[in-house]
């Protein structure tokens, strides 16, 4: 049985790319079809064997807590109305313990992860970012957990991106490759030019608790924020950190175009919506069909 039972989900960002929609609503609560984006992340954690999740929130994020709380009036209404299929969806996240801590200042992703250090204690743990949804036969996080169980080493999930997009990501400079696993020479946060590769860190991590030693230094990096990638680089100097090219399709829901395309693709994969959307697109000449 895996030792990875705790996970951190940072959700304290301001969501400025989605303004004005996120002025009063957390970005993480924006829905893909009928489910908030953060629920996809929580479900991945549950399906990977995680038992305790701490969500790092910020000001104006109370809706996240309300979403994962019990709503007895709603549940009673659904049961009384015999809408048991909807009731099951409402209960899907109930088989995990969800905790919350507030990041008092938006000091960066590294600081958000550091804020959860007391919850984690001296255990290995997972981090899942909400800007990435991954569809795969084996949950993305479970793939990383299996590799951690095999090696005992911290590991980051990566996939290839076009070289002209590498400046948006933490990038892996690797020494060698064994299957989907890379031994890492260096981690580079958002390289402006001359990226060492196009292997980008994709928001799924397993860490040994020694990471907190470097996060505690609160060193500012790119964007004058405390970057998680910088502390991973420091950890890699004393304790090897692997990169794993996970299997599955990653959807970027952290920016507007990606969010729209993800919503459309998820709708086309759903039998409830597939036919009317295809008909709509066909009628307006958006498909290649004759």
């Amino acid at each position: 049985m895996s030792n990875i039972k705790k996970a951190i989900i940072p959700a304290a960002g301001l969501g400025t790319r989605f303004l004005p929609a996120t002025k009063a609503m957390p970005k993480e609560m924006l829905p893909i079809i009928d489910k908030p984006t953060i629920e996809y992340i929580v479900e991945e954690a549950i399906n990977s064997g995680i038992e305790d999740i701490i969500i790092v929130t910020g000001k104006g994020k109370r809706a996240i807590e309300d979403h994962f709380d019990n709503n007895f009036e709603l549940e009673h209404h659904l049961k009384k109305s015999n809408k048991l299929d909807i009731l099951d969806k409402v209960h899907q996240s109930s088989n995990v313990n969800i905790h919350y801590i507030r990041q008092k200042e938006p000091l960066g992703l590294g600081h958000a992860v550091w804020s959860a250090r007391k919850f984690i204690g001296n255990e290995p743990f997972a981090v899942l970012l909400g800007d990435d949804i991954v569809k795969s036969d084996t949950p993305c996080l479970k793939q990383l957990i299996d590799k951690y169980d095999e090696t005992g080493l911290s590991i980051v999930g990566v996939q290839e991106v076009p070289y002209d997009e590498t400046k948006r990501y933490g990038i892996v400079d690797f020494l060698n490759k064994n299957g989907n696993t890379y031994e890492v020479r260096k981690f580079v946060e958002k390289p402006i030019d001359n990226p060492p590769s196009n292997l980008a860190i994709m928001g799924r991590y397993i860490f040994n608790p020694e990471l907190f030693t470097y996060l505690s230094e609160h060193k500012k990096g790119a964007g004058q924020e405390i970057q998680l990638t910088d502390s991973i680089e420091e950890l890699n100097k004393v304790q090897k950190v692997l990169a794993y090219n996970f299997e599955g399709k990653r959807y970027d829901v952290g920016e507007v175009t990606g969010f729209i395309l993800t919503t459309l693709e998820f709708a086309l994969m759903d039998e409830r919506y597939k036919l009317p959307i295809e008909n709509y697109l066909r009628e307006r000449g958006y498909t290649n069909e004759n």
Side-chain angles (χ1 to χ4, degrees):
M1 182 177 291
S2 174
N3 293 322
I4 311 295
K5 297 299 178 186
K6 293 181 179 180
I8 301 170
I9 300 178
L14 298 175
T16 54
R17 292 175 180 171
F18 289 87
L19 286 170
T22 50
K23 181 180 178 182
M25 176 189 290
K27 177 186 70 173
E28 296 79 10
M29 290 300 298
L30 294 174
I32 305 292
I33 313 300
D34 55 2
K35 189 187 302 183
T37 56
I38 194 170
E39 190 162 338
Y40 288 93
I41 310 305
V42 168
E43 287 177 358
E44 181 184 329
I46 293 171
N47 293 333
S48 300
I50 296 298
E51 297 176 357
D52 287 276
I53 295 172
I54 186 163
I55 301 178
V56 182
T57 66
K59 185 178 180 181
K61 302 279 186 168
R62 182 61 186 270
I64 297 174
E65 298 181 35
D66 289 342
H67 176 73
F68 289 111
D69 199 359
N70 291 327
N71 186 325
F72 296 107
E73 183 178 349
L74 173 62
E75 293 168 18
H76 175 73
H77 170 75
L78 293 173
K79 189 173 183 180
K80 187 177 179 180
S81 304
N82 202 34
K83 297 180 179 179
L84 302 183
D85 55 335
I86 301 177
L87 183 62
D88 287 341
K89 291 181 180 180
V90 171
H91 281 158
Q92 279 182 353
S93 60
S94 61
N95 54 346
V96 67
N97 299 313
I98 300 181
H99 315 262
Y100 303 91
I101 188 170
R102 176 169 288 193
Q103 184 187 24
K104 294 180 175 60
E105 298 179 73
L107 298 177
L109 176 58
H111 183 266
V113 173
W114 175 82
S115 298
R117 66 200 181 283
K118 292 182 180 178
F119 170 81
I120 297 299
N122 195 35
E123 301 178 35
F125 62 99
V127 175
L128 303 93
L129 304 189
D131 284 352
D132 300 293
I133 295 174
V134 181
K135 270 193 170 292
S136 54
D137 293 334
T138 300
C140 177
L141 185 65
K142 181 65 166 60
Q143 295 178 49
L144 268 62
I145 288 174
D146 289 344
K147 182 57 62 173
Y148 177 86
D149 291 342
E150 178 186 322
T151 65
L153 297 172
S154 298
I155 185 163
V156 303
V158 298
Q159 282 196 336
E160 294 182 349
V161 298
Y163 272 93
D164 61 358
E165 294 184 13
T166 53
K167 59 181 176 292
R168 297 175 51 203
Y169 300 94
I171 298 296
V172 169
D173 179 5
F174 62 92
L175 290 164
N176 53 62
K177 175 184 178 183
N178 182 11
N180 283 16
T181 307
Y182 296 80
E183 185 177 352
V184 180
R185 177 188 291 111
K186 189 175 182 180
F187 294 92
V188 183
E189 178 63 19
K190 298 177 181 175
I192 300 300
D193 49 30
N194 299 318
S197 79
N198 65 334
L199 279 178
I201 301 173
M202 288 300 182
R204 298 296 185 273
Y205 313 80
I206 303 293
F207 293 120
N208 282 317
E210 287 80 5
L211 177 75
F212 289 119
T213 300
Y214 304 100
L215 289 175
S216 297
E217 296 176 2
H218 292 180
K219 292 181 179 179
K220 292 185 177 181
Q224 286 301 297
E225 292 186 339
I226 300 169
Q227 298 289 349
L228 178 60
T229 303
D230 293 342
S231 289
I232 299 173
E233 166 62 12
E234 292 303 310
L235 177 64
N236 188 50
K237 293 176 181 178
V238 297
Q239 183 186 106
K240 189 182 297 183
V241 179
L242 302 176
Y244 185 79
N245 193 342
F246 58 84
E247 297 177 357
K249 183 170 182 179
R250 170 252 183 181
Y251 297 86
D252 182 359
V253 297
E255 50 87 24
V256 176
T257 300
F259 182 87
I260 293 170
L261 293 175
T262 300
T263 302
L264 179 59
E265 187 162 333
F266 276 40
L268 288 170
M269 289 187 286
D270 192 316
E271 291 301 322
R272 295 173 296 174
Y273 311 115
K274 182 175 186 292
L275 185 58
I277 291 174
E278 286 182 338
N279 288 340
Y280 177 91
L281 295 174
R282 189 179 301 110
E283 289 169 2
R284 285 153 182 81
Y286 293 129
T287 68
N288 294 324
E289 297 180 15
N290 296 321

